[in-house]
Amino acid sequence: FSGLSNRQRVWLVVGTVLVVTLFLFSVLKGRTAPSITLWEISLSESIRDIAPRLHVTGKSLARELNLSLDVDKNIPVEELGVSKKDLKHTAHHLIGHTDSNAKYYIYLALIIWGWIFLVIIGRPVNSELADRKFWFPKIFYTIALLLSVGVAGMFFGKSPNPMEGVVKVFKTMVGLYPDPWIKVAALILFIGLVVVGNKLICGWACPFGALQELCYKIPLLGRFRKYKLPFVLTNTVRIVLFLVTLTVLFGWVGGKKGMVIYHYVNPFNLFNLDFEYPSIILSIALSLVMGIFFYRPFCSFICPFGLISWFFERLSLYRVRIDHEKCTECMACVKACPSLATKGKVAKMFWQADCFSCSRCLNVCPVDAIKYESVFKR
């Protein structure tokens, strides 16, 4: 960064101070303490007594206990055939879903840092084109990924996260969560962070997305990454899974209203070390092993927020942009891109593959036709 201008240096200092402050504030504030401890739960209590302390509705607690959503919620759970072991297990699982409000500051800090790096300080002002291989140093992105996994993931646990931000909104619509507007506001916040910078929330801040990214960045394995998964395939699977989940959740098929398919493949359980179903372990293992060879497979095939954020990418204020008057279509950026996003940009496609703002394409163009900038800049 010896070539940074004075303006860039000011942004670097201010941004670093702001990000460190947000990190320290969130860590000191810590994880939100649950309003109930496991030893306070009694089989003599009813679903209506227990559910509010777990921040869920009676229907949600009934579903987690494998009871009918319409079961009598005013009688002791013991009379419903619930064992002490099942009750404690369910309570522990639901406590793990309690959102840590401090974690939002971590997300904000990582996104601010990603935006400053991509838009302002990643490329020295008036630097020679021949020096482009030194632009956007990878170490800064890697540090952000490690902080996402270590702090937003392992320290703060699974919740909140972008995937649950989508799922919880639909769960409130079938009565599984109280305070629906709080869940809607959380989803709007995550979508807003997509709009600020192209999927920065997914590319720079999401803990499991970061873990997949780190797997993909493992050195010495580049020769095995010759192929990219067809976007038509991955997005079709993602859309179909999303629609099937909604039909099951709302009870339109299957007769199990309130059942959430994503629960059985939720990789964020890793950050709570909560492997309730064998399918969760399988989902995590496949995502990380496949993630060594293919870019972010869970995001591409399964994640519902990945699907929604892909749609809202069209509204992103800052993104990778190609000057098509300069572009010679040498495909250097397409080769550098781990997905098919840049290929869609070169071809001027409206519905391009997901772009995670990873910066790989920004220092390879031989004619300086590609930049990360505002959509309002000509």
Side-chain angles (χ1 to χ4, degrees), residues 184-337:
V184 171
L187 178 57
I188 291 174
L189 172 63
F190 283 129
I191 291 174
L193 296 175
V194 172
V195 173
V196 168
N198 202 101
K199 281 178 91 95
L200 281 175
I201 179 65
C202 298
W204 286 70
C206 174
F208 195 72
L211 189 55
Q212 291 177 93
E213 186 82 41
L214 289 170
C215 287
Y216 192 80
K217 288 166 68 70
I218 293 175
L220 305 178
L221 295 176
R223 65 181 183 275
F224 296 109
R225 303 184 190 116
K226 296 180 180 179
Y227 305 102
K228 300 175 184 180
L229 296 171
F231 181 62
V232 172
L233 170 64
T234 60
N235 211 36
T236 298
V237 172
R238 193 167 55 175
I239 291 171
V240 170
L241 180 60
F242 183 72
L243 295 177
V244 170
T245 297
L246 292 185
T247 60
V248 173
L249 176 64
F250 287 96
W252 297 331
V253 296
K256 287 189 176 182
K257 185 177 181 180
M259 177 182 173
V260 182
I261 293 176
Y262 292 119
H263 281 181
Y264 298 92
V265 293
N266 187 354
F268 291 92
N269 281 35
L270 171 65
F271 302 116
N272 278 19
L273 301 179
D274 178 12
F275 308 112
E276 185 178 7
Y277 308 106
S279 55
I280 291 176
I281 299 176
L282 181 62
S283 171
I284 294 169
L286 284 176
S287 297
L288 298 184
V289 172
M290 286 183 61
I292 296 173
F293 308 103
F294 300 103
Y295 194 62
R296 293 177 177 251
F298 184 84
C299 307
S300 302
F301 278 106
I302 297 176
C303 184
F305 185 78
L307 176 62
I308 290 176
S309 60
W310 166 72
F311 178 82
F312 279 97
E313 281 187 70
R314 276 13 83 179
L315 304 178
S316 294
L317 301 179
Y318 285 85
R319 63 182 77 167
V320 171
R321 300 184 73 203
I322 295 176
D323 185 338
H324 290 281
E325 293 183 2
K326 288 185 178 180
C327 178
T328 62
E329 297 190 10
C330 68
M331 300 300 173
C333 59
V334 174
K335 184 178 180 180
C337 180

Side-chain angles (χ1 to χ4, degrees), residues 40-47 49-50 53 75-78:
E40 291 177 333
I41 304 171
S42 170
L43 290 174
S44 63
E45 294 182 284
S46 68
I47 288 177
D49 295 327
I50 300 171
R53 288 181 283 159
I75 63 176
V77 293
E78 186 175 28

